[in-house]
């Protein structure tokens, strides 16, 4: 099965994320990554999810059936910028700290905390760069790890401009669904 990156604009309302996740779960697809955050417009959130599916067009059609979903696109084959972040707590006795600092520099990661025998490192990059960083530092001993979901944005003029949809509300405050 192919991994697909789907980007959606949704109304920022209670329960929307639950309905989106439930719809995908009911169809038997696994969500590999899910990230949701405020968009450039109040009351509209941008959602990025990564799923494995041979029938992604069905997922897109089903998402449009949810009343709070404004726009959905499979951006897998589009020119996109995608990022993830990982925060790692590494076993770091003083004898290896300089090595961890050097490796972090190569990956443009930040040391955000230093304890007696630990270091917390934050790294942001493409999903493959994050994965590579994790593999390189794994040998030091990962005590804790938290990885965000993937976020993605289409390059250039085409994309998901939330203000287009706000302008179409006719002052009602309700964003129409577009099918």
């Amino acid at each position: 099965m192919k991994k697909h990156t789907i980007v959606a604009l949704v109304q920022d309302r209670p329960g929307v994320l639950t309905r989106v996740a439930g719809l995908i779960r009911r169809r038997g697809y696994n969500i590999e990554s899910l990230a949701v955050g405020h968009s450039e417009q109040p009351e509209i959130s941008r959602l990025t999810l990564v799923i494995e599916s041979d029938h992604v067009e069905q997922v897109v059609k089903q998402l449009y059936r949810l009343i709070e979903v404004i726009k959905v696109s499979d951006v897998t084959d589009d020119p996109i910028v995608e990022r993830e972040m990982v925060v790692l707590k590494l076993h770091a006795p003083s004898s290896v700290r300089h090595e961890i600092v050097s490796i972090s520099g190569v990956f443009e990661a930040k040391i955000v905390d230093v304890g007696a025998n630990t270091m917390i490192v934050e790294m942001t990059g493409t999903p493959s760069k994050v994965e590579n960083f994790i593999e390189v530092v794994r040998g030091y001993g990962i005590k804790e790890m938290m990885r965000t979901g993937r976020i993605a944005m289409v390059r250039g003029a085409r994309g998901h401009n939330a203000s287009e949809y706000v302008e179409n509300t006719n002052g009602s405050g309700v964003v129409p669904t577009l099918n």
Side-chain angles (χ1 to χ4, degrees):
M1 272 198 243
K2 183 177 178 181
K3 289 183 185 176
H4 292 270
T5 302
I6 297 173
V7 176
L9 293 175
V10 298
Q11 294 177 15
D12 191 5
R13 304 248 193 279
V16 173
L17 182 57
T18 301
R19 285 189 280 288
V20 168
L23 182 146
I24 293 168
R25 180 194 53 78
R26 284 191 304 277
R27 301 298 179 272
Y29 299 116
N30 183 46
I31 298 173
E32 180 181 300
S33 172
L34 175 65
V36 184
H38 296 290
S39 73
E40 66 278 12
Q41 288 295 321
E43 299 184 20
I44 297 180
S45 292
R46 189 176 310 272
L47 179 144
T48 304
L49 59 100
V50 178
I51 61 169
E52 285 189 41
S53 171
D54 290 329
H55 307 288
V56 74
E57 55 281 343
Q58 284 301 102
V59 174
V60 170
K61 287 178 185 176
Q62 292 295 318
L63 285 170
Y64 268 123
R65 289 185 163 188
L66 297 176
I67 227 164
E68 302 90 353
V69 172
I70 301 163
K71 173 133 176 81
V72 182
S73 295
D74 176 7
V75 298
T76 305
D77 298 322
D78 293 347
I80 59 174
V81 173
E82 55 185 356
R83 294 289 182 266
E84 283 188 20
M85 182 174 74
V86 64
V87 177
L88 298 149
K89 183 186 286 185
L90 300 173
H91 177 69
S94 58
S95 61
V96 299
R97 286 188 183 172
H98 67 283
E99 295 173 22
I100 294 171
V101 170
S102 292
I103 292 168
S104 296
V106 169
F107 283 89
E108 299 176 349
K110 298 176 187 170
I111 309 297
V112 294
D113 187 64
V114 178
N117 286 305
T118 61
M119 293 178 88
I120 298 178
V121 183
E122 168 193 316
M123 192 269 176
T124 302
T126 63
S128 62
K129 187 176 177 182
V130 169
E131 193 62 44
N132 289 340
F133 179 68
I134 292 167
E135 289 308 310
V136 168
V137 299
R138 187 175 303 282
Y140 293 99
I142 297 174
K143 292 180 164 277
E144 294 180 43
M145 180 174 82
M146 178 60 190
R147 192 169 176 175
T148 66
R150 185 179 310 183
I151 57 173
M153 192 172 285
V154 176
R155 294 179 186 265
R158 191 179 83 72
H160 289 76
N161 185 348
S163 61
E164 291 176 21
Y165 304 101
V166 171
E167 291 168 6
N168 292 326
T169 63
N170 300 324
S172 67
V174 176
V175 180
T177 59
L178 303 174
N179 294 323

